[in-house]
């Protein structure tokens, strides 16, 4: 029977036709993609995820300070702080959750814009979330918009825009309570390592310095002198830093510009003999009055203070997830 | 001279300090190159006498003019600018040496005086220089290894609650931006940590800052005062700990390895491979 069907096709045997060849290549690709998907789904069903083990993997990953540091971002919208899990955390969760396919693909590029798809797919449960969107090859700056010509600029623009959608897709597929637990673990990791020592503060000042943020601006925001900073405030500043670094917000969103940042940059960081001496005298005074902190020189919060910090962070966390989910929806 | 660490000695002649027992900052720098170099330059009984490096005299003159101006005439005699090979110079030099002085040229004197004037234009530095002591020799035992360490800060400014140390460096470009490269190249960040730690142990005090006073070697002799951040000092401290450990082990076993007796496989520097990638 099958022989008859082939013989009935008048175009059979015309292998030299380019169109047919092109179709054949496309078909092969299509078949391969289908086969890959089927294989992935079959493998996923044969090796279903152990949710307890997957959760452990996620929490373990979140215990790494390097991940925890960049796990949560914050930005200011409508006068309130919105924070949520960062793309790094979303990717780390997807990897550890297992049986997930996720990524960004550029479907088309023409007329100065790219059509891009971000997707996250739980191949085990066949839950899929995808977003298709347009990325215009234009960079908007304060001095006006600029058309992007360099393929590398375009690639970066697509990758940046895609990363945010990808984050939303991953977070839509992974159960919300898993995300919540991961962020909570990251907060704990950051808090337990929230170093308030003078050395750590110097490091932080240097990090903010690259965004033109001065010590005075930071002190104004935390409403106290830097040497009296609380661990939770360090955590909050780390989130702001992550947001500045990822380009989610600008320094002026967070800090009052009471001095011209450009002057500060031109001048560079500096100190005075009086500053050096006062740091020394201060260290001595605190050593004399607070014997409990003399050994490490670090802030040692009381159980009540820890409870207060935790309560505040839980409250913050609820709000930030709402914001993040809304953005992703 | 028998020294019991910890101690701080004032007005110790430089050659006595150099001859005294103890691992100095320059010793650490040599160990960083290789222990074999340390043995060859510091311990080998057959080692050649140390040669004065180019620019060393100019550096010493700047130190004296900036930190001990009243001592300048007692150490140096100024001669008109002339070639050192001439008969007149040789006669003047012999006469100066007989009087226990070092003969210098007028241009060298001028440079040193202008450098001294120029650093005093930095208000913070002037305040520090107005009260303090030059060239204190400090000796202390390293608590981890038991090795005696020594340092000789150019200037020690003491105040109620601690001390600030200062070190004068002459360099062609004293801008903080360029001088930080020199700090990295010459390992001054190790010196910073070594001086702070050794002086603290020796004087039983707290060192709150170590300031590099950089001054340019040619007109207009621009100065700058530079201080490293605590994190960078910590890098120096960690390197010092490693090098001191190496020194202690070498001393204990009396073995001073060089670059190794194997054939080292090396890779090209990154800038060459980067260039190839760009092509």
């Amino acid at each position: 029977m099958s022989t008859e069907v082939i013989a009935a096709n008048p175009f059979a045997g015309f292998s030299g036709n380019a169109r047919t060849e092109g179709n054949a290549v496309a078909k092969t690709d299509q078949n391969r993609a289908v086969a890959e998907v089927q294989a992935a789904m079959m493998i996923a069903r044969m090796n279903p995820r152990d949710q307890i083990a997957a959760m452990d993997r996620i929490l373990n990953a979140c215990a790494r300070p390097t991940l925890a540091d960049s796990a949560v971002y914050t930005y200011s919208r409508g006068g309130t702080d919105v924070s949520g899990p960062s793309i790094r955390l979303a990717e780390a969760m997807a990897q550890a959750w297992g049986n997930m396919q996720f990524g960004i693909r550029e479907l088309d590029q023409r007329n100065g814009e790219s059509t891009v798809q971000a997707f996250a797919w739980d191949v085990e449960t066949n839950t899929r979330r995808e977003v298709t969107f347009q990325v215009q090859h234009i960079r908007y700056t304060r001095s006006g918009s600029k058309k992007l010509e360099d393929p590398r600029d375009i690639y970066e623009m697509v990758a940046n825009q895609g990363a945010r959608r990808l984050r939303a897709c991953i977070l839509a597929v992974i159960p919300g309570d898993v995300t919540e637990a991961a962020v909570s673990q990251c907060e704990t990791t950051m808090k337990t390592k929230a170093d308030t020592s003078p050395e750590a503060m110097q490091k932080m000042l240097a990090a903010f310095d690259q965004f033109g943020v001065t010590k005075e601006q930071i002190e104004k925001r935390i409403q106290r002198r830097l040497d009296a900073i609380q661990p939770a405030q360090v955590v909050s500043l780390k989130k702001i830093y992550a947001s500045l670094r990822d380009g989610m917000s600008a320094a002026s969103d967070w800090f009052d510009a009471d001095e011209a940042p450009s002057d500060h940059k031109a001048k560079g960081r500096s100190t005075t003999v009086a500053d050096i001496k006062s740091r020394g005298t201060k260290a001595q005074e605190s050593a004399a009055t607070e014997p409990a902190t003399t050994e490490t020189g670090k802030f040692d919060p009381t159980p009540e203070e820890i409870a207060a910090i935790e309560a505040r962070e839980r409250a913050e966390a609820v709000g930030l997830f709402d914001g993040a989910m809304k953005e992703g929806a | 001279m028998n020294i019991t660490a910890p101690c701080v000695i004032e007005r110790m002649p430089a050659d006595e300090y150099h001859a005294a027992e103890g691992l100095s900052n320059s010793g650490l720098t040599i160990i960083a190159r290789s222990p074999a170099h340390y043995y060859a330059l510091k311990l080998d009984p057959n080692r050649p006498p140390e040669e004065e490096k180019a620019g060393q005299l100019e550096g010493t003159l700047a130190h004296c003019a900036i930190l001990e101006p009243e001592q300048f005439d007692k150490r140096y005699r100024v001669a008109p600018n002339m070639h050192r090979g001439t008969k007149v110079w040789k006669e003047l030099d012999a006469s100066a040496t007989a009087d226990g002085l070092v003969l210098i040229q007028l241009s060298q004197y001028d440079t040193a005086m202008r450098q001294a004037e120029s650093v005093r234009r930095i208000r913070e530095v002037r305040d520090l220089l107005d009260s303090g002591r030059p060239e204190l020799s400090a000796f202390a035992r390293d608590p981890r290894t038991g090795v005696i360490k020594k340092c000789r800060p150019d200037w020690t400014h003491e105040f109620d609650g601690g001390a600030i140390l200062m070190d004068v460096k002459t360099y062609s470009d004293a801008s903080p931006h360029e001088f930080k490269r020199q700090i990295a190249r010459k390992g001054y960040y190790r010196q910073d940590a070594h001086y702070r730690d050794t002086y603290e142990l020796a004087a039983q005090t707290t060192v709150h800052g170590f300031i590099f006073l950089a001054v340019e070697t040619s007109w207009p002799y621009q100065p700058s005062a530079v201080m490293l951040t605590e994190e960078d000092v910590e890098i120096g401290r960690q390197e010092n700990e490693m090098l001191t450990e190496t020194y202690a082990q070498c001393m204990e076993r009396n073995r001073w390895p060089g670059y190794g007796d194997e054939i080292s496989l090396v890779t090209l520097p990154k800038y060459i491979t980067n260039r190839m990638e760009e092509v």
Side-chain angles (χ1 to χ4, degrees):
Chain A
M1 288 290 282
S2 60
T3 318
E4 279 178 20
V5 172
I6 291 166
N9 184 347
F11 300 105
F14 284 87
S15 58
N17 186 311
R19 186 185 162 93
T20 315
E21 201 171 66
N23 282 346
V25 170
K27 201 162 172 69
T28 313
D29 278 348
Q30 207 173 11
N31 287 344
R32 188 191 296 141
V34 171
E36 272 176 9
V37 166
Q38 282 175 341
M41 292 180 74
M42 206 165 71
I43 291 167
R45 293 211 176 120
M46 282 161 63
N47 304 287
R49 80 170 57 86
D50 176 352
Q51 293 199 344
I52 297 171
M55 192 70 222
D56 280 347
R57 277 200 299 272
I58 291 175
L59 294 181
N60 277 340
C62 293
R64 289 201 311 267
T66 41
L67 176 63
D69 268 356
S70 58
V72 180
Y73 70 85
T74 311
Y75 64 93
S76 195
R77 179 164 289 175
T80 52
D81 297 354
V82 178
S83 41
S86 69
I87 176 67
R88 304 250 165 77
L89 179 60
E91 282 174 346
M93 282 199 303
Q95 284 156 5
W97 190 236
N99 286 342
M100 290 271 295
Q101 295 203 355
F102 59 95
I104 305 162
R105 53 168 85 99
E106 191 172 16
L107 304 175
D108 193 12
Q109 190 182 109
R110 67 174 77 176
N111 304 330
E113 64 177 20
S114 295
T115 307
V116 186
Q117 186 183 62
F119 68 95
W121 183 12
D122 185 339
V123 287
E124 191 182 321
T125 60
N126 201 16
T127 312
R128 186 178 169 93
R129 177 62 176 261
E130 65 181 37
V131 185
T132 306
F133 55 98
Q134 310 288 333
V135 178
Q136 289 195 314
H137 301 166
I138 294 174
R139 177 169 292 135
Y140 297 97
T141 64
R142 283 186 185 168
S143 53
S145 55
K146 183 184 165 236
K147 195 156 182 276
L148 300 179
E149 304 283 357
D150 187 339
R152 184 184 281 186
D153 286 346
I154 294 172
Y155 164 79
E156 279 172 2
M157 173 67 95
V158 167
N160 277 340
Q161 299 276 322
R164 294 183 207 172
R165 268 74 169 197
L166 177 61
R167 177 176 62 87
C169 290
I170 292 174
L171 294 179
V173 171
I174 292 180
D177 59 323
V178 173
T179 311
E180 205 166 319
V183 173
S184 168
Q185 175 61 51
C186 288
E187 301 261 4
T188 311
T189 306
M190 276 202 284
K191 193 170 60 205
T192 48
K193 74 168 276 290
D195 188 354
T196 56
S197 64
E199 296 79 30
M201 291 305 99
Q202 281 301 322
K203 219 169 184 173
M204 189 189 73
L205 286 180
F208 273 108
D209 185 54
Q210 57 185 302
F211 299 105
V213 179
T214 63
K215 185 182 173 201
E216 286 71 26
Q217 285 173 302
I218 293 174
E219 286 182 338
K220 200 166 176 189
R221 182 176 171 85
I222 63 171
Q223 295 286 306
R224 57 179 69 210
R225 284 182 62 84
L226 197 59
D227 45 22
I229 194 169
Q230 303 285 307
Q233 291 175 319
V234 175
V235 174
S236 140
L237 286 171
K238 277 185 175 174
K239 282 193 226 163
I240 293 174
Y241 173 71
S243 168
L244 293 178
R245 187 201 51 203
D246 293 348
M248 297 291 290
S249 62
S252 54
D253 295 340
W254 303 105
F255 303 98
D256 291 341
D258 48 0
E259 61 176 300
S262 55
D263 290 352
H264 174 77
K265 286 303 275 185
K267 202 176 159 203
R269 284 193 300 155
S270 64
T271 186
T272 62
V273 169
D275 257 2
I276 299 169
K277 284 184 182 176
S278 76
R279 275 203 297 274
T281 323
K282 212 163 286 145
Q284 287 225 329
E285 279 168 10
S286 64
T289 53
E290 295 170 36
T293 61
T294 48
E295 282 195 13
T296 58
K298 287 179 185 170
F299 175 69
D300 189 12
T302 62
E304 292 78 33
E305 282 170 321
I306 293 173
I309 291 165
E310 281 174 354
R312 190 165 61 239
E313 287 185 346
R314 269 199 301 278
E316 280 174 9
V318 173
L320 42 107
F321 285 130
D322 291 343
M325 288 304 190
K326 267 182 227 147
E327 193 198 46
Chain B
M1 185 173 177
N2 205 6
I3 290 161
T4 318
C7 67
V8 176
I9 303 170
E10 201 172 356
R11 284 190 280 276
M12 184 180 193
D15 45 356
E16 265 182 39
Y17 166 77
H18 291 302
E21 184 194 355
L23 184 58
S24 64
N25 172 60
S26 62
L28 285 167
T29 307
I30 302 171
I31 294 267
R33 198 167 171 204
S34 86
H37 280 87
Y38 186 87
Y39 179 81
L41 297 172
K42 298 275 182 188
L43 302 175
D44 191 342
N46 300 320
R47 65 186 184 275
E50 278 185 42
E51 284 175 17
E52 192 173 84
K53 291 177 199 151
Q56 200 168 328
L57 175 63
E58 283 76 5
T60 315
L61 293 176
H63 274 71
C64 189
I66 293 168
L67 307 169
E68 302 172 276
E70 72 288 349
Q71 293 289 319
F72 205 92
D73 294 341
K74 296 175 192 161
R75 295 182 192 171
Y76 305 102
R77 179 174 293 163
V78 184
N81 290 336
M82 67 177 84
H83 198 275
R84 285 170 189 270
T86 57
K87 195 179 163 197
V88 183
W89 177 273
K90 283 179 182 163
E91 281 172 8
L92 286 171
D93 193 31
S95 144
T97 311
D99 295 338
L101 298 170
V102 175
L103 192 67
I104 59 167
Q105 305 216 6
L106 184 60
S107 59
Q108 291 175 316
Y109 173 83
D110 278 347
T111 298
M113 290 303 139
R114 283 182 178 163
Q115 285 171 328
E117 258 173 45
S118 132
V119 295
R120 283 192 156 264
R121 285 203 294 269
I122 305 179
R123 186 169 47 83
E124 300 288 329
V125 169
R126 191 170 59 233
D127 291 349
L128 286 179
L129 286 176
D130 283 344
S131 138
R133 289 186 287 171
E135 312 278 5
L136 294 180
S137 303
F139 297 83
R141 200 173 279 280
D142 179 43
R144 286 186 331 114
T145 56
V147 166
I148 292 186
K149 297 177 111 178
K150 60 179 180 180
C151 70
R152 194 171 153 97
D154 285 347
W155 191 256
T156 307
H157 171 86
E158 286 148 311
F159 63 98
D160 187 23
I164 295 176
L165 307 181
M166 195 155 66
D167 203 70
V168 176
K169 303 282 185 201
T170 52
Y171 187 50
S172 54
D173 185 341
S175 65
H177 181 72
E178 179 55 36
F179 192 71
K180 73 178 182 192
R181 296 173 205 279
Q182 181 77 342
I183 290 177
R185 267 194 300 265
K186 296 276 206 173
Y188 291 160
Y189 57 100
R190 282 198 303 264
Q191 181 193 2
D192 186 326
H194 174 77
Y195 274 44
R196 283 176 194 245
D197 295 349
T198 309
Y199 191 82
E200 281 193 350
L201 286 171
Q204 302 289 306
T205 185
T206 309
V207 174
H208 291 298
F210 184 93
I211 297 169
F212 293 101
L213 178 53
V215 57
E216 291 181 355
T217 46
S218 56
W219 177 263
Y221 309 104
Q222 273 299 317
S224 77
V226 176
M227 196 166 95
L228 284 177
T229 62
E230 289 291 333
E231 298 90 74
D232 291 345
V233 177
E234 190 53 39
I235 294 174
R237 187 167 285 128
Q238 284 170 12
E239 285 189 23
N240 285 345
E241 278 177 13
M242 245 159 43
L243 295 169
T244 310
E245 186 75 34
T246 306
Y247 170 81
Q249 285 177 10
C250 292
M251 282 298 263
E252 192 185 320
R253 298 173 196 167
N254 197 23
R255 284 186 54 200
W256 303 87
Y259 297 137
D261 48 10
E262 296 153 347
I263 298 170
S264 304
L265 267 179
V266 298
T267 53
L268 284 172
K270 198 75 188 146
Y271 60 84
I272 299 280
T273 43
N274 283 350
R275 202 168 59 193
M276 283 312 292
E277 276 168 20
E278 278 168 21
V279 172

